[in-house]
């Protein structure tokens, strides 16, 4: 049964593949019920996978195989708070090495075009530092990065 508030993500026939990738990559994630179309529809036929229910880090999602008409954009992203460099590297590398692409400031995009912010908690703490000069240095360091390097952020924060 769907949650009262569920994120619906549009795919071009690859919702199940994406759901399985997210379930194996992110903790507290799983693939749920797969629903098949009861009749033909604009981008598929009766019996094709129409939607798949899944969770990403406990967030309920619905993957809709709606066809090629709509694409994901950076206007929507998942932000994942990581605890250390190993977790940051593991998640970033899983997304990028599976046909995704790197971007700036901790952002990357998976092969389906969905954007992810892999954000170490250390970065969030650094740019919120009450010492505004330290926060500014950490922010400037982040602006030069793709994947976040926690050691470099902490070094910039210290000055």
């Amino acid at each position: 049964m769907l949650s009262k508030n569920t994120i619906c993500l549009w795919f071009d026939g690859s919702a199940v593949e994406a759901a399985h990738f997210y379930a194996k990559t992110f903790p507290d994630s799983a693939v749920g019920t797969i629903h098949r179309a009861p009749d033909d529809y604009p981008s598929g036929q009766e019996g094709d996978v129409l939607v798949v229910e899944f969770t990403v880090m406990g967030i309920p999602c619905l993957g809709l195989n709606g066809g090629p008409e709509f694409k994901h954009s950076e206007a929507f992203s998942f932000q994942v708070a990581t605890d250390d460099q190993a977790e940051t590297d593991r998640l970033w590398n899983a997304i990028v090495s599976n046909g995704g692409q790197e971007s700036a400031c901790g952002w990357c995009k998976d092969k389906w075009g969905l954007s992810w912010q892999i954000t170490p908690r250390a970065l969030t703490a650094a740019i919120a530092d009450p010492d505004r000069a330290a926060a500014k240095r950490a922010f400037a360091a982040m602006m030069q990065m793709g994947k976040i390097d926690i050691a470099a952020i902490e070094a910039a924060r210290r000055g």
Side-chain angles (χ1 to χ4, degrees), residues 8 42 45 55 106 116 144 148:
C8 182
Q45 299 177 338
T55 57
W116 298 83
Q144 303 302 313
I148 302 300

Side-chain angles (χ1 to χ4, degrees), residues 14-27 29-31 54-56 90-100 109-112 114 116:
S14 58
V16 171
E17 179 188 1
H20 281 289
F21 173 76
Y22 302 145
K24 79 173 187 184
T25 302
F26 298 99
S29 301
V31 177
F54 60 101
T55 57
V56 177
R90 184 184 73 74
L91 295 177
W92 174 279
N93 293 339
I95 292 166
V96 171
S97 69
N98 188 50
K109 192 179 290 189
D110 67 28
K111 77 184 216 174
W112 301 280
L114 191 60
W116 298 83

Side-chain angles (χ1 to χ4, degrees), residues 27-136:
D28 192 24
S29 301
V31 177
T33 306
I34 296 172
H35 302 274
R36 297 190 176 274
D39 202 354
D40 292 350
Y41 60 108
S43 63
Q45 299 177 338
E46 179 180 341
D48 288 351
V49 173
L50 181 61
V51 295
V52 58
E53 296 175 29
F54 60 101
T55 57
V56 177
M57 296 171 288
I59 298 170
C61 298
L62 184 74
L64 169 65
N65 281 328
E69 185 175 358
F70 300 110
K71 305 291 182 205
H72 296 289
S73 80
E74 290 79 1
F76 175 87
S77 65
F78 281 99
Q79 184 178 37
V80 181
T82 57
D83 293 322
D84 56 32
Q85 193 67 52
E87 184 181 22
T88 301
D89 292 348
R90 184 184 73 74
L91 295 177
W92 174 279
N93 293 339
I95 292 166
V96 171
S97 69
N98 188 50
Q101 62 186 44
E102 298 183 12
S103 191
C105 304
W107 290 64
C108 57
K109 192 179 290 189
D110 67 28
K111 77 184 216 174
W112 301 280
L114 191 60
S115 291
W116 298 83
Q117 297 177 58
I118 308 302
T119 309
R121 294 180 197 279
L123 171 62
T124 303
I127 63 176
D129 193 313
D131 176 346
R132 298 317 296 157
K136 186 174 182 175

